[in-house]
Amino acid sequence: MTKAEKVTFVIDTLEKLYPETPIPLDHKDPYTLLIAVLMSAQSTDERVNTITPLLFEKADNPYDMIKLSVDEIREIIKPVGLSPMKSKGIYGLSKILIEKHNGEVPANFEALEELPAVGHKTASVVMAQAFNIPAFPVDTHIHRLMYRWNLSNGKSVAQTEKDAKRLFPKELWNKLHLQIIYYGREYSPARGWNLDNDSITKTIGRKSVIDEYYKKKK
């Protein structure tokens, strides 16, 4: 298979499996999505979705958020982990949104990445999912799968993003990054991986990854 054929195979397989791609984090607007994405760092979407309603009940916009103290925010979001950093980030970015952006979440990478606790991946998720602007946020699932599928060398998340954007059509990025995440969780996890269930890796996977898998199975 040529690289172009592999890319087409990936797109077609994912489209069959996941024709619909609901956004995994519960939110109602760009601000609540931004907060949910920030909270999801090194946590699970499920856990975040149990905590955000408690936080948003008290503050679902930057104006109400800065009425809470950093400690109050931290107390609510503690179960998602990294709460000292995340609570400071939530308070700090809410303040900046009011001061610099009329309380609105800006729809551009530069302004988003200037916000406290907002890195490139978080900004990419917000751009794609809140504003429908093409982006390719790379999380651990996408990083792992692009390597397993021999579509990227796995050297860095930045390289994986570059490769994904080069290989996949721009108009598919926003849907595709979610499809790959769903696929990674269901068929190609980091732990408890069963290659027999993973039709994409089985068909186009990196030879060294497949050899290693069978070596471990022996």
Side-chain angles (χ1 to χ4, degrees):
M1 253 195 230
T2 65
K3 194 154 255 190
E5 286 169 337
K6 287 178 178 181
V7 166
T8 302
F9 173 73
V10 168
I11 292 167
D12 292 347
T13 305
L14 292 173
E15 191 53 41
K16 278 191 203 104
L17 288 169
Y18 307 106
E20 301 297 322
T21 49
I23 293 168
L25 290 166
D26 297 339
H27 67 287
K28 62 171 188 170
D29 57 18
Y31 178 75
T32 51
L33 178 66
L34 174 60
I35 300 302
V37 178
L38 187 157
M39 282 170 58
S40 72
Q42 290 179 41
S43 187
T44 64
D45 293 344
E46 291 74 23
R47 183 169 292 167
V48 172
N49 286 339
T50 62
I51 302 302
T52 44
L54 309 175
L55 179 64
F56 296 152
E57 199 181 330
K58 290 188 185 293
D60 62 359
N61 62 77
Y63 297 95
D64 287 336
M65 195 64 80
I66 63 164
K67 289 177 190 165
L68 300 175
S69 67
V70 172
D71 285 341
E72 284 173 308
I73 297 169
R74 185 184 172 185
E75 204 46 50
I76 298 166
I77 69 167
K78 228 177 216 170
V80 301
L82 303 180
S83 60
M85 182 202 79
K86 290 176 182 176
S87 53
K88 278 185 198 143
I90 290 168
Y91 184 89
L93 73 81
S94 300
K95 204 162 179 292
I96 291 170
L97 290 180
I98 294 165
E99 288 166 2
K100 286 179 82 171
H101 303 286
N102 299 320
E104 299 290 325
V105 175
N108 76 73
F109 278 102
E110 211 178 329
L112 283 169
E113 288 179 37
E114 278 173 4
L115 298 170
V118 176
H120 180 65
K121 187 208 146 199
T122 297
S124 296
V125 173
V126 172
M127 291 293 276
Q129 297 175 5
F131 300 117
N132 207 25
I133 292 165
F136 211 107
V138 173
D139 75 343
T140 52
H141 297 289
I142 294 174
H143 191 51
R144 178 176 69 252
L145 267 52
M146 288 288 287
Y147 179 78
R148 279 184 180 172
W149 296 344
N150 205 10
L151 298 177
S152 190
N153 62 19
K155 290 276 193 297
S156 69
V157 169
Q159 185 58 50
T160 299
E161 182 184 345
K162 207 181 273 182
D163 292 333
K165 285 178 164 178
R166 185 172 47 80
L167 292 168
F168 295 113
K170 196 172 188 174
E171 66 275 12
L172 299 182
W173 292 354
N174 288 358
K175 186 176 189 183
L176 204 58
H177 88 267
L178 285 169
Q179 289 173 320
I180 296 174
I181 290 168
Y182 289 141
Y183 185 89
R185 286 175 181 171
E186 198 172 345
Y187 298 105
S188 197
R191 294 189 195 91
W193 176 38
N194 182 348
L195 184 60
D196 292 332
N197 298 334
D198 182 352
S199 62
I200 297 180
T201 309
K202 216 172 164 182
T203 308
I204 66 161
R206 185 182 291 271
K207 188 179 180 303
S208 59
V209 168
I210 292 171
D211 290 349
E212 182 66 20
Y213 174 84
Y214 285 121
K215 208 162 87 182
K216 278 183 182 162
K217 289 248 328 181
K218 277 180 184 170

